[in-house]
Amino acid sequence: EQRRHGGAEFFLDVFDPEEEEDELSNERMLEHIMSETLDQEVNDVVWRCLGYAQDASGEWNNDAVFPKWRDKYPSPPDLIGVQRNYTYSIDRPVQKANQALVASIPMAHKQGVKIQLRPLGFTGFMMDGLTPNKTRRAQCVNWLIFYRDALRGKTLEQLKAEQEALRSAETAPPVVGPDSQQTSGDKTTMIQQDDWKYPNKPVL
């Protein structure tokens, strides 16, 4: 079920386990990581979770997309690289879109794949076996797990309130002074308080 309206009535996808199979189940996430699904299938599920909706003609509508994401990507971007062409001019937009998706995951949810899929036997990839496709699939799955566990079923107003409460609860790191161990060789400060920023870029 999808309930999307304006203002405070804006709802994200709502999953009813009695009526439908969860396309964001851990088992399904593992299939995406293990390349048991098509590249475009991974794109499609992320696009739907971001709020893009496909009409009967196959066109994607962005009315319900997270506001900041919609500003940057009015049309759904390729997050995987379905052409598997890694020349710079073709792959760079894919790389940047995937990086933007990863940047929107809060630190508390960065280990979603490890936490959720290890019980199913997933132990990660060996470095010498990594490819851009495998890496991007894993990053998309990590975002999907974050969406499923933290965003799905909540109104936009609820999510904004949670985000603000989290920011209020976080404490900025102390200023590192010249007597600290974290100084450069010339004793200048390596961290400035006014340079500190929250580590993620939300899609809200």
Side-chain angles (χ1 to χ4, degrees):
E1 179 187 2
Q2 295 183 356
R3 295 180 290 173
R4 293 187 171 102
H5 305 286
E9 296 303 313
F10 185 112
F11 278 80
L12 304 183
D13 290 354
V14 178
F15 166 67
D16 186 345
E18 295 184 358
E19 295 185 3
E20 57 187 317
E21 181 180 353
D22 189 1
E23 68 175 353
L24 301 183
S25 68
N26 284 342
E27 289 76 14
R28 189 62 173 165
M29 295 298 98
L30 185 61
E31 291 176 1
H32 291 321
I33 280 191
M34 300 307 295
S35 300
E36 296 174 8
T37 58
L38 298 176
D39 291 346
Q40 190 56 47
E41 287 183 69
V42 181
N43 269 334
D44 287 348
V45 68
V46 177
W47 292 351
R48 288 194 295 271
C49 291
L50 283 166
Y52 298 101
Q54 195 171 27
D55 60 28
S57 68
E59 296 296 317
W60 289 88
N61 180 285
N62 70 7
D63 289 348
V65 174
F66 289 107
K68 289 184 179 180
W69 185 270
R70 180 176 58 222
D71 290 344
K72 194 169 186 177
Y73 295 105
S75 298
D78 184 0
L79 298 158
I80 298 293
V82 295
Q83 297 184 61
R84 301 205 182 191
N85 183 332
Y86 301 113
T87 56
Y88 185 85
S89 60
I90 293 175
D91 190 61
R92 181 57 175 165
V94 180
Q95 183 185 50
K96 292 182 68 174
N98 186 277
Q99 289 172 345
L101 191 73
V102 171
S104 74
I105 305 173
M107 290 300 297
H109 294 271
K110 293 290 188 184
Q111 299 297 316
V113 167
K114 179 179 179 180
I115 294 170
Q116 296 294 334
L117 302 189
R118 177 169 285 180
L120 299 183
F122 180 70
T123 57
F125 297 114
M126 300 295 291
M127 286 296 295
D128 58 1
L130 272 180
T131 65
N133 184 271
K134 287 182 178 180
T135 300
R136 292 168 186 174
R137 279 174 172 267
Q139 290 165 335
C140 285
V141 165
N142 206 39
W143 187 88
L144 289 169
I145 291 172
F146 157 60
Y147 168 84
R148 180 193 70 193
D149 295 347
L151 306 183
R152 184 167 64 176
K154 296 179 181 178
T155 67
L156 190 61
E157 296 307 315
Q158 284 177 312
L159 294 174
K160 287 182 176 179
E162 288 180 4
Q163 185 181 100
E164 185 58 36
L166 180 61
R167 285 179 174 174
S168 298
E170 290 178 327
T171 303
V175 174
V176 178
D179 295 329
S180 167
Q181 295 297 313
Q182 298 184 54
T183 53
S184 60
D186 61 358
K187 300 298 183 181
T188 55
T189 303
M190 295 178 67
I191 300 176
Q192 297 293 335
Q193 178 130 13
D194 56 2
D195 289 338
W196 185 81
K197 298 179 181 179
Y198 290 96
N200 67 299
K201 299 178 181 178
V203 293
L204 304 185

